[in-house]
């Protein structure tokens, strides 16, 4: 058991060691803060959602109560209209006046009814049916209202309170709710007949049309589940069966339901029980889309997630910042260790370093680097001394005076023997050695370097007659500029040996010089056979095919040693087109 726990601990340690110190700190800080944030968000979501859900249910109930109040007041207005008919004695007299013809009586009653209802906004039609079964109505017969059914008339005659009948429609399809009551002479109590009021369903619909807009809809149903008012007019007068999806509850309350894969909340609010005295036993039913009703909760959850994401990003940035401040000395020391040997020793730290373990490690690092750098400098100095000594020994192997005298004797002998070619060759060779060995100078003017090249070319042209020609483009203002000796001749020799000697036909070598942006450029370009450029200068120099004089690598090393690393020899070549050797010298730092 102890061994298993030890293995797990070792695995966790090795896993963490795969990341840098900064990453480990960030991981620990972000993990801790994220866990805290998730717990707080979960608690808030649970309690906040429940609280907001209850408040939304209460809001829906309050809206239904407001609708119920408006409908109750409307029913009271309908009863007041019926009461005005009972108190209007002029209607009694017009009905019982036998001196009037039926047409005249109809016209008179229409006028009296219009005065009684005062407004046609709520009442669509009024029908009075006398005991003699004579019918008088407010609207013209041409409008063709559905006649009241005999069952309703029978119920009204038997009931001591008002009665509501089934839905009726006119020729335009508009629906009406029929309110019926016994019509008696208010003063004498004499029974006249039946009074029927056709109340516009559109008037009732306007009372609650704006409620739950965008969330769902409401409708009015009787206790027998007959639809009295509904946004879908085709459903008016229908009776909901127990299998209908939106059948309302018999009592006040809420019910969650699913219809066609969408959730709804069914809210029921019965009207005041006192309306039963007017024959009204209605309920307000609201069908509310669950997602839309709780959109605020969803939006709250979305906002919470956005807040969480923003907080997480902020915590992540803060963690990186804190971790960076903690690990910056370590990263700085690591960077210095990596850069050592490439950039040399950096300046020591400030005089007041921190007094922690990292500072002690940094001080030890500086002490070590300072010692190593000192040893490197000593080694470089020794190498430079050795290189100078080797070059001096190489030059001293030839006795200049003996060589000059010998060459001069050969030249005069050739002249006496009338051998101009030999004389010219020896003269060129003498000039070459005189310039290259004269006084052991390391630097010569560019003009002398060109003379040295011309002497070498003269000798080579005797070896390869009519094989090549050389052109020189040296500006006058640069001819006296002193440069390192013997850096152009090896390039020309390499061009002749390996560029033009293998070429069919006559070749061309162009030697040029120019100054640009404080740099001096010396270029040797040939149109020889070229080579595939797959190797760098150091690899090329190892191939005997490219060995000439001091060698190209030697020329490059001498230039870098004399003028710095930003000065160099670069060679570019294209097979079949030729080779270009370009020397770059920094005049700003190393102009002599």
């Amino acid at each position: 058991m102890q061994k298993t726990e030890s293995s797990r601990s070792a695995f966790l340690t090795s896993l963490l060691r795969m990341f840098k110190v900064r990453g480990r700190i960030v991981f620990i800080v972000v993990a801790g803060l994220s866990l805290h944030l998730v717990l707080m968000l979960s608690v808030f979501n649970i309690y906040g959602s429940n609280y907001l859900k209850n408040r939304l249910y209460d809001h829906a109930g309050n809206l239904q109560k407001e609708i119920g109040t408006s409908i109750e007041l409307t029913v009271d207005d309908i009863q007041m209209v019926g009461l005005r008919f009972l108190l209007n004695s002029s209607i009694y007299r017009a009905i019982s006046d036998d001196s009037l013809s039926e047409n005249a009586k109809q016209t008179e009653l229409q006028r009296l009814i219009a005065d009684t209802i005062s407004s046609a906004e709520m009442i669509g039609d009024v029908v009075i049916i006398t005991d003699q079964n004579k019918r008088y109505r407010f609207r013209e017969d041409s409008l063709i209202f559905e006649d009241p059914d005999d069952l309703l008339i029978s119920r009204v005659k038997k009931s001591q309170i008002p009665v509501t009948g089934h839905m009726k429609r006119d020729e335009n399809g508009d629906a009406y709710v029929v309110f019926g009551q016994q019509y008696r002479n208010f003063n004498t109590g004499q029974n006249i007949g039946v009074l029927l009021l056709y109340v516009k369903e559109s008037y009732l619909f306007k009372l609650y049309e704006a409620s739950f807009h965008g969330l769902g809809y409401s409708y009015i149903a009787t206790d027998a589940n007959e639809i009295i008012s509904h946004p879908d007019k085709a459903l008016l007068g229908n009776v909901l069966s127990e299998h209908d999806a939106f059948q309302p509850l018999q009592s006040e309350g809420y019910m969650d339901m699913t219809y066609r894969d969408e959730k709804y909340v069914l809210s029921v609010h019965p009207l005041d029980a006192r309306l039963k005295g007017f024959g009204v036993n209605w309920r307000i039913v609201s069908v509310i889309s669950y997602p839309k009703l709780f959109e605020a909760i969803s939006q709250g959850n979305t906002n919470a997630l956005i807040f969480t994401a923003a907080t997480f990003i902020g915590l992540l940035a803060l963690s990186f910042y804190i971790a960076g401040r903690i690990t910056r000395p370590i990263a700085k020391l690591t960077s210095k260790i990596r850069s050592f040997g490439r950039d040399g020793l950096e300046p020591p730290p400030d005089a007041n370093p921190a007094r922690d373990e990292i500072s002690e490690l940094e001080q030890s690092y500086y002490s070590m680097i300072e010692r190593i750098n000192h040893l490197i400098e000593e080694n470089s100095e020794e190498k430079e001394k050795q290189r100078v000594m080797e070059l001096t020994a190489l030059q001293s192997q030839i006795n200049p005076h003996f060589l000059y005298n010998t060459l001069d004797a050969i030249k005069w002998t050739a002249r006496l023997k009338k051998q101009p070619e030999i004389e010219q060759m020896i003269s060129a060779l003498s000039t070459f050695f005189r310039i290259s060995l004269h006084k052991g100078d390391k630097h010569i003017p560019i003009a002398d370097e060109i003379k040295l090249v011309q002497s070498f070319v003269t000798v080579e042209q005797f070896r390869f007659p009519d094989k090549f020609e050389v052109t020189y483009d040296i500006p006058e203002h640069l001819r006296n500029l002193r440069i390192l000796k013997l850096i152009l001749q090896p390039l020309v020799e390499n061009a002749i040996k390996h560029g033009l000697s293998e070429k069919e036909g006559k070749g061309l070598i162009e030697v040029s010089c120019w100054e640009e942006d404080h740099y001096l450029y010396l270029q040797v370009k040939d149109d020889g056979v070229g080579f595939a450029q797959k190797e760098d200068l150091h690899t090329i120099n190892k191939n005997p095919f490219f060995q000439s004089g001091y060698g190209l690598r030697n020329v490059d090393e001498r230039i870098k040693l004399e003028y710095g690393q930003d000065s160099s020899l670069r060679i570019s070549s294209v097979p079949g087109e030729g080779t270009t050797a370009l020397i770059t010298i920094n005049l700003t730092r190393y102009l002599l």
Side-chain angles (χ1 to χ4, degrees):
M1 184 72 175
Q2 186 176 2
K3 189 174 182 180
T4 303
E5 292 180 356
S6 177
S7 300
R8 291 178 180 175
S9 177
F11 173 74
L12 181 61
T13 302
S14 62
L15 182 63
L16 290 175
R17 290 296 297 272
M18 293 175 63
F19 301 94
K20 294 185 178 179
V21 176
R22 183 179 183 184
R24 283 179 255 172
I25 296 175
V26 170
F27 173 76
I28 294 172
V29 173
V30 171
L33 294 177
S34 298
L35 180 61
H36 176 72
L37 186 64
V38 169
L39 290 176
M40 289 189 61
L41 183 63
S42 300
V43 173
F44 168 78
N45 184 54
I46 293 173
Y47 287 97
S49 297
N50 289 335
Y51 175 81
L52 187 57
K53 184 175 181 180
N54 292 332
R55 296 288 75 79
L56 287 173
Y57 278 140
D58 292 341
H59 176 67
N62 290 333
L63 280 178
Q64 285 190 313
K65 289 179 181 179
E66 292 179 4
I67 297 172
T69 301
S70 299
I71 295 176
E72 290 167 7
L73 292 175
T74 300
V75 173
D76 289 338
D77 290 341
I78 294 171
Q79 297 306 314
M80 288 301 298
V81 172
L83 182 59
R84 286 201 297 269
F85 273 94
L86 296 179
L87 296 176
N88 194 331
S89 57
S90 298
I91 296 178
Y92 304 153
R93 289 193 296 269
I95 292 175
S96 60
D97 190 355
D98 294 334
S99 63
L100 295 175
S101 64
E102 287 299 321
N103 290 335
K105 188 180 293 188
Q106 176 69 33
T107 302
E108 179 63 16
L109 286 174
Q110 286 179 343
R111 183 184 65 81
L112 294 174
I113 291 173
D115 294 338
T116 303
I117 63 176
S118 69
S119 174
E121 181 182 2
M122 179 176 62
I123 305 299
D125 195 10
V126 177
V127 178
I128 299 175
I129 303 175
T130 66
D131 288 340
Q132 290 77 29
N133 203 27
K134 293 183 179 180
R135 299 190 180 191
Y136 302 98
R137 65 189 319 158
F138 174 55
R139 298 299 182 188
E140 298 291 339
D141 290 338
S142 59
L143 294 178
I144 311 178
F145 275 81
E146 289 185 16
D147 290 329
D149 53 85
D150 294 337
L151 180 59
L152 173 62
I153 296 173
S154 175
R155 287 174 55 204
V156 171
K157 289 180 178 180
K158 294 177 181 180
S159 176
Q160 298 299 317
I161 61 174
V163 176
T164 55
H166 297 295
M167 302 297 296
K168 301 296 180 181
R169 296 180 183 271
D170 61 14
E171 65 174 356
N172 297 322
D174 296 331
Y176 300 85
V177 183
V178 181
F179 285 80
Q181 66 182 46
Q182 292 184 10
Y183 191 33
R184 299 176 182 273
N185 189 317
F186 187 79
N187 297 319
T188 63
Q190 178 185 2
N191 187 43
I192 299 174
V194 175
L195 174 65
L196 301 177
L197 301 178
Y198 284 64
V199 178
K200 295 179 178 179
E201 184 274 337
S202 59
Y203 184 83
L204 296 176
F205 179 67
K206 289 180 181 179
L207 297 177
Y208 64 87
E209 179 182 10
S211 301
F212 301 105
H213 180 70
L215 298 177
Y217 64 91
S218 299
Y219 67 91
I220 302 173
T222 66
D223 57 348
N225 290 335
E226 181 184 358
I227 298 178
I228 298 299
S229 180
H230 196 285
D232 186 357
K233 306 308 178 184
L235 299 178
L236 297 177
N238 292 354
V239 178
L240 297 174
S241 67
E242 60 182 5
H243 302 294
D244 286 327
F246 297 109
Q247 185 186 35
L249 300 171
Q250 293 297 323
S251 58
E252 184 173 11
Y254 303 93
M255 179 178 69
D256 293 339
M257 56 166 298
T258 302
Y259 178 70
R260 293 182 179 176
D261 297 329
E262 186 172 352
K263 293 184 66 177
Y264 294 91
V265 176
L266 200 65
S267 178
V268 178
H269 175 71
L271 297 183
D272 197 318
R274 71 177 181 84
L275 296 183
K276 293 181 180 180
F278 300 139
V280 174
N281 192 7
W282 294 349
R283 291 170 293 169
I284 302 170
V285 183
S286 297
V287 181
I288 308 170
S289 172
Y290 193 95
K292 293 181 180 179
L293 178 63
F294 296 104
E295 185 177 1
I297 297 179
S298 301
Q299 184 63 41
N301 292 336
T302 302
N303 293 338
L305 290 176
I306 294 174
F307 171 76
T308 303
T311 305
F312 179 81
I313 294 174
L315 291 177
L316 187 62
L318 180 62
S319 301
F320 271 105
Y321 174 75
I322 295 175
R325 293 298 299 269
I326 295 174
T327 60
R328 185 178 298 170
I330 300 177
K332 188 176 181 181
L333 182 58
T334 303
S335 176
K336 291 175 181 176
I337 294 174
R338 289 177 177 174
S339 64
F340 176 70
R342 183 179 68 248
D343 302 330
L345 179 66
E346 296 185 6
D350 53 23
N352 298 315
R355 298 181 179 273
D356 56 10
E357 295 81 357
I358 299 176
S359 176
E360 294 180 3
L361 182 62
E362 190 174 13
Q363 293 301 320
S364 300
Y365 160 76
Y366 273 111
S367 299
M368 179 189 68
I369 294 303
E370 188 173 2
R371 176 60 180 164
I372 293 175
N373 198 61
H374 179 69
L375 294 175
I376 291 175
E377 289 179 356
E378 289 182 352
N379 187 44
S380 298
E381 291 176 358
E382 291 295 330
K383 285 186 176 181
E384 175 61 18
K385 290 178 181 179
Q386 183 179 359
R387 184 183 295 274
V388 172
M389 292 174 63
E390 290 176 354
L391 182 60
T392 303
L394 177 64
Q395 292 178 340
S396 64
Q397 292 176 3
I398 303 175
N399 189 322
H401 296 287
F402 174 77
L403 183 61
Y404 297 157
N405 293 335
T406 301
L407 292 176
D408 191 62
I410 296 173
K411 183 179 75 172
W412 281 104
T413 301
R415 180 177 295 180
L416 292 174
K417 298 293 185 177
K418 297 182 180 180
Q419 297 291 331
E421 290 84 3
I422 298 176
E423 178 185 358
Q424 186 178 0
M425 186 184 305
I426 296 301
S427 178
L429 183 61
S430 176
T431 301
F432 177 86
F433 283 119
R434 184 178 294 107
I435 296 174
S436 60
L437 300 178
H438 180 61
K439 297 181 182 179
D441 291 339
K442 185 163 63 171
H443 301 91
I444 61 175
I446 293 179
D448 288 347
E449 181 73 6
I450 295 299
K451 289 180 181 179
L452 192 150
V453 172
Q454 289 173 335
S455 300
F456 173 77
V457 168
T458 300
V459 175
E460 290 297 306
Q461 284 179 333
F462 280 102
R463 292 182 60 201
F464 304 100
D466 297 323
K467 187 64 177 178
F468 65 91
E469 63 177 329
V470 183
T471 63
Y472 304 92
D473 182 14
I474 310 298
E476 285 295 328
H477 70 282
L478 296 178
R479 287 182 172 272
N480 294 325
L481 185 66
R482 296 178 67 82
I483 61 173
L484 195 63
K485 183 168 58 177
L486 284 175
I487 58 176
L488 283 179
Q489 183 272 332
L491 306 183
V492 175
E493 181 179 357
N494 186 77
I496 295 172
K497 275 188 177 183
H498 311 299
L500 301 179
S501 63
E502 301 293 331
K503 179 180 178 180
E504 295 182 3
K506 190 174 184 179
L508 174 65
I509 298 176
E510 299 175 40
V511 180
S512 59
C513 173
W514 70 90
E515 179 186 3
E516 183 178 342
D517 295 333
H518 306 292
Y519 278 85
L520 177 67
Y521 296 92
L522 300 167
Q523 179 177 277
V524 176
K525 181 178 180 182
D526 66 77
D527 59 353
V529 295
F531 62 92
Q533 199 166 359
K534 298 181 180 179
E535 303 173 297
D536 58 20
L537 189 64
H538 296 78
T539 305
I540 290 174
N541 191 65
K542 295 178 183 178
N543 190 333
F545 184 71
F546 293 95
Q547 297 282 345
S548 60
Y550 290 110
L552 302 183
R553 177 181 174 185
N554 183 276
V555 172
D556 182 63
E557 288 180 350
R558 289 173 59 217
I559 292 173
K560 283 184 168 60
L561 186 64
E562 185 66 24
Y563 299 105
Q565 293 299 316
D566 55 347
S567 301
S568 64
L569 166 63
R570 295 184 180 181
I571 296 178
S572 60
S573 182
V574 178
E577 294 183 13
T579 303
T580 299
L582 178 64
I583 295 175
T584 303
I585 297 176
N586 189 336
L587 295 178
T588 303
R589 297 171 54 190
Y590 301 104
L591 184 61
L592 298 176

